[in-house]
Amino acid sequence: MTASGPVRVALLGCGVVGTEVARLLLTDGAELAARVGAPLELVGIAVRDVTAPRDPVVDRALLTDDASALVRRADVVVEVMGGIEPTRSLLLEAIASGASVVTANKALLGQDGPTLYAAADEAGVDLYLEAAVAGAIPLVRPLRESLVGDRVTRVLGIVNGTTNYVLDQMATHGLELQDALAQAQELGYAEADPTADVEGHDAAAKAAIVASLAFHTRVSVDDVHCVGIMGVTADDVALAAETGHVVKLLAIAERAGADGVVVRVHPALVSLGHPLASVRGAYNAVFVEAEAAGELMFYGRGAGGAPTASAVLGDLVTVARHRVLGGKGPVESRHADLRPRPVGEAVTRYQVQVRVDDRPGVLAQAARVFADHDVSIETVRQARADGEQADLLVVTHAAPDAALASTVAALADLPVVRAVVSVLRVEGA
Ligand code: NDP
Ligand code: HSE
């Protein structure tokens, strides 16, 4: 490709996202060409099965099952096929042959982003990934470019639409998790196999990407403390409402001490007054705190073919412009080199629901355990007391997560404690 010729685009994948990318390329071709400064020529679409039925917008003559040959004749490779292999090898092949890459593949970037970043850096090509985190929402570029002059201290967000939909249905209709999940699957919000969503792995991959960008450091998905939503009960959600909270699956990345970063994904109580509490259905929202900018919130559709394709096209136009005009975008920045720290070093608050004997002195014994672990209690509420047993709902002040976890373990060992019914962190106060 030269400044006068078209930019050759290879599309890897033609599923939910790929079909919408193809549609936008076809329907908005003239306008995209004007924005890029050269036409975008779709030179091929790699799929697994070239005979499978496709949306009529897809030109079947472009379909191929030889992705490897396709990437070697492109200026920009748009990867929306997902998975780790053969995707990683194909992208490395593309980069080695001088192509820039646009990818939506959070699983690959969360697991092995550094290999791709290093290869792109060495080859002097772009690697853009806006669609990999929170679908249509511009977040990667604000973190990588707009906030690069500031110091981000914390990123807190809802980055998985499926789990937000499920938790929202539980809160709105009092459903048990399995029923809300079944409904999400029927409506097409959740995939047939929703494991990566409900176990938190999808959010953990996104959290690793966001943490790496926000803190100029390398964080892999293996550094992320990850708990999904499968342990959340209808009772947890109902109790949360009684105390003015909602349960959300949060991804949190924050500085820990002078040279550390803690990244975690888990269900948490969010006060109804916090902007994240009003994020409903399958929407995503990310709250960024930076020293000079203060608090910023990014909100929108985190998934779906067209919203994700919007982010992909934004990247494609940008890297194609670089091809036409020369130069390239920012590379991975890891100069801060913060150390990923265990979740025990996070400072947070807990809400603990403990089922105890309903008799004199029990509350004092429970309170002693908190004091012994240097954990300060903010509120205590007693619910469902029947003269035999009662539930204590204890909310703590902020303390190191390790101290809070030890407190819960010690509570469970008290003879007057029948069960620790639930433990949820309280975030976003
Ligand atoms: P789909 O499963 O709908 O589509 C995957 C496409 O890739 C299919 O066309 C498939 O071919 C093709 N494909 C898969 N493996 C290979 C292979 N080995 N060789 C050639 N082609 C292959 O996935 P989505 O469109 O939903 O997701 C694509 C990517 O975008 C993933 O990384 C996902 O995490 C990410 N993403 C998705 C979002 C969404 O809302 N769906 C949101 C944000 C990111 P065939 O059609 O023949 O099966
Ligand atoms: N499964 C993801 C979600 C898709 O539910 O948010 C977007 O990455």
Side-chain angles (χ1 to χ4, degrees):
M1 191 274 313
T2 67
S4 55
V7 178
R8 296 167 300 164
V9 179
L11 184 59
L12 304 188
C14 193
V16 173
V17 180
T19 302
E20 296 311 312
V21 171
R23 191 186 313 283
L24 289 176
L25 274 173
L26 190 80
T27 54
D28 297 344
E31 187 153 357
L32 293 172
R35 293 179 193 171
V36 170
L40 295 175
E41 184 194 352
L42 185 56
V43 293
I45 305 175
V47 292
R48 257 181 312 224
D49 179 1
V50 292
T51 65
R54 305 277 162 197
D55 187 293
V57 79
V58 176
D59 178 355
R60 300 193 73 89
L62 292 174
L63 295 176
T64 174
D65 56 11
D66 189 349
S68 177
L70 176 60
V71 299
R72 280 182 267 115
R73 54 190 176 91
D75 301 306
V76 183
V77 170
V78 174
E79 186 272 302
V80 285
M81 64 185 230
I84 306 298
E85 283 296 347
T87 320
R88 173 175 35 208
S89 302
L90 286 168
L91 295 187
L92 290 173
E93 204 175 334
I95 289 167
S97 66
S100 290
V101 167
V102 172
T103 178
N105 194 333
K106 64 248 169 174
L108 176 56
L109 291 165
Q111 191 182 93
D112 199 15
T115 300
L116 294 171
Y117 298 138
D121 200 14
E122 196 178 323
V125 298
D126 279 324
L127 174 60
Y128 271 52
L129 50 126
E130 187 62 71
V133 185
I137 307 173
L139 179 67
V140 169
R141 258 189 277 172
L143 286 173
R144 193 149 88 162
E145 298 177 33
S146 320
L147 287 165
V148 74
D150 205 336
R151 191 166 190 264
V152 174
T153 50
R154 194 165 196 244
V155 183
L156 174 82
I158 295 165
V159 293
N160 183 269
T162 303
T163 48
N164 200 57
Y165 178 84
V166 167
L167 293 171
D168 191 32
Q169 289 297 302
M170 291 172 76
T172 315
H173 302 293
L175 300 181
E176 282 294 350
L177 188 139
Q178 289 296 354
D179 297 329
L181 184 56
Q183 195 186 89
Q185 282 171 308
E186 270 167 37
L187 293 172
Y189 287 115
E191 294 182 31
D193 178 4
T195 313
D197 294 315
V198 297
E199 299 288 352
H201 302 143
D202 175 80
K206 293 167 181 169
I209 296 167
V210 164
S212 303
L213 294 165
F215 299 116
H216 307 280
T217 226
R218 271 190 182 169
V219 178
S220 118
V221 71
D222 298 332
D223 301 316
V224 181
H225 170 80
C226 176
V227 177
I229 63 166
M230 292 310 285
V232 178
T233 64
D235 205 34
D236 290 330
V237 174
L239 263 178
E242 282 176 34
T243 60
H245 293 85
V246 283
V247 180
K248 296 289 187 192
L249 183 73
L250 295 185
I252 303 171
E254 59 203 341
R255 284 179 182 271
D259 64 351
V261 58
V262 178
V263 189
R264 51 196 167 108
V265 167
H266 53 70
L269 292 168
V270 177
S271 161
L272 285 172
H274 192 278
L276 288 179
S278 57
V279 178
R280 306 288 308 274
Y283 276 79
N284 284 190
V286 179
F287 207 72
V288 178
E289 298 168 14
E291 280 183 359
E295 294 173 341
L296 303 161
M297 182 147 150
F298 301 84
Y299 172 82
R301 292 187 192 276
T308 308
S310 162
V312 169
L313 261 292
D315 281 354
L316 174 56
V317 167
T318 304
V319 305
R321 268 190 199 140
H322 295 161
R323 290 263 154 182
V324 173
L325 300 172
K328 62 189 277 297
V331 293
E332 181 206 19
S333 157
R334 58 187 160 90
H335 63 89
D337 201 22
L338 303 181
R339 300 275 169 263
R341 306 297 309 162
V343 70
E345 293 188 23
V347 174
T348 182
R349 296 160 66 215
Y350 271 23
Q351 176 191 278
V352 189
Q353 185 186 354
V354 215
R355 190 150 296 154
V356 295
D357 295 345
D358 189 9
R359 58 184 170 78
V362 170
L363 179 58
Q365 286 187 51
R368 180 82 259 149
V369 173
F370 284 85
D372 287 347
H373 290 82
D374 208 18
V375 171
S376 175
I377 293 173
E378 185 180 292
T379 60
V380 182
R381 200 166 150 261
Q382 183 167 299
R384 298 166 191 172
D386 62 7
E388 196 181 310
Q389 65 176 28
D391 279 6
L392 297 178
L393 205 61
V394 183
V395 177
T396 71
H397 283 294
D401 198 273
L404 292 162
S406 314
T407 307
V408 172
L411 275 175
D413 286 344
L414 272 188
V416 295
V417 168
R418 298 183 176 200
V420 175
V421 182
S422 83
V423 180
L424 282 166
R425 295 183 182 86
V426 186
E427 298 291 342

